[in-house]
Amino acid sequence: MARRRGGKNNMKYRLLAMSIDGVLLKTNDRISRETKEAIDFVRNKGVYSVLVTNRHFSSAKKIAKHLKMNHEMICHGGGLMAGLSGAPILETRMPAEMVYDAADCMERYPCRIQLESQDYEWENKYQQSKNVLGKIQFSLGEGLLQPKTYTDRISSSVYEKQLTALRLFGEFEEENDASRCRKELLEQIPGIIIEQNNTHLTVKKEEATKEYALSYLMSELGIQREETIYIGSGTADEPSLEMAGIGVAMGQSPEKVKQKADWITRSNDQNGVSYMVKEVFRKQMKVEV
């Protein structure tokens, strides 16, 4: 494990924030006994532990219950923070008008669209072109478990039912179309952010980020940046890695993610969370939050 910045050895850490995919889960989608024990170890130290994930709330809740974690979860890529009951503590929804404008723009391209909320999901009845048949795999959003409602046009359903959304996903047949649509959306709709991964777009309200929700939680708890550890593995974790007192990248993380981190631990398949947690917390006395 490498440490990039010094001067933090004697710090008492009060909050541990962790992503799920690529961090707590191994590549076989299982959580190891060592990782479970590490979470128990942190809990016994009195450290506030939270999940910060792109996953849907219901999926994150299953992981939290499995690990006996009772604190808030930051889900939907930062769009929702809620406890196990599901009652929103912080919710950053796109209003119906914003969702309509975004969907209307995306529908001008060959594109499969999915609208995501905590309680419902809508998807368009999209027929992909014959020349890309079998190439598109619609797997946007991690761990989506809600029943879907299918519609001919997402924009029409949004208008008729005044649907709001935590996120709007789009999967395009061509990367050029995704890039062009992204540019148009940013020019036409103020107050949104758009993540692009090749042919995929994720549209959210600009405050719907992991780091914003995490900052809100820290403020509510009276926890300082220097008292926080964040463990992540993907590019979406980069801002949170930079804002934490210690940002930890998993060993299998892309190099650009590792460059944002203070520590690099072992990979998820090598129990990197367990290794890092015990290195940092083994000498820390129990704290009160």
Side-chain angles (χ1 to χ4, degrees), residues 191-222:
I192 61 171
I193 55 174
I194 304 175
E195 300 163 1
Q196 181 173 359
N197 182 12
N198 300 321
T199 59
H200 297 144
L201 295 184
T202 303
V203 184
K204 303 187 292 183
K205 202 170 181 181
E206 59 185 356
E207 298 89 356
T209 64
K210 295 178 179 180
E211 62 273 17
Y212 180 87
L214 190 57
S215 295
Y216 179 91
L217 179 62
M218 290 162 57
S219 176
E220 290 294 301
L221 295 173

Side-chain angles (χ1 to χ4, degrees), residues 138-155:
F138 191 53
S139 56
L140 301 173
E142 299 169 10
L144 302 179
L145 298 176
Q146 296 298 109
K148 289 187 180 72
T149 301
Y150 291 90
T151 181
D152 291 328
R153 290 179 62 85
I154 292 289
S155 60

Side-chain angles (χ1 to χ4, degrees), residues 263-281:
W263 290 58
I264 302 169
T265 188
R266 297 171 179 173
S267 73
N268 56 336
D269 286 333
Q270 297 172 321
N271 297 313
V273 170
S274 173
Y275 181 77
M276 187 275 166
V277 162
K278 291 181 179 179
E279 284 291 304
V280 171
F281 289 102

Side-chain angles (χ1 to χ4, degrees), residues 9 16 49 59 102-103 112 130 149 152 191 219 228 270 283-284:
N9 292 342
L16 174 64
S49 56
S59 177
R112 191 176 302 183
K130 290 183 179 180
T149 301
D152 291 328
S219 176
T228 301
Q270 297 172 321
K283 295 181 180 180
Q284 180 163 316

Side-chain angles (χ1 to χ4, degrees), residues 102-167:
D104 181 64
C105 180
M106 295 165 75
E107 287 166 346
R108 299 169 196 165
Y109 297 88
C111 177
R112 191 176 302 183
I113 303 170
Q114 182 174 281
L115 182 156
E116 177 189 278
S117 183
Q118 183 183 1
D119 303 317
Y120 53 80
E121 292 172 12
W122 288 69
E123 185 176 322
N124 65 336
K125 299 175 183 177
Y126 175 70
Q127 294 294 325
Q128 59 197 38
S129 302
K130 290 183 179 180
N131 62 330
V132 295
L133 193 63
K135 295 182 181 180
I136 291 181
Q137 294 183 351
F138 191 53
S139 56
L140 301 173
E142 299 169 10
L144 302 179
L145 298 176
Q146 296 298 109
K148 289 187 180 72
T149 301
Y150 291 90
T151 181
D152 291 328
R153 290 179 62 85
I154 292 289
S155 60
S156 298
S157 297
V158 170
Y159 179 80
E160 292 169 5
K161 298 182 179 297
Q162 288 297 289
L163 297 174
T164 61
L166 294 171
R167 293 186 289 192

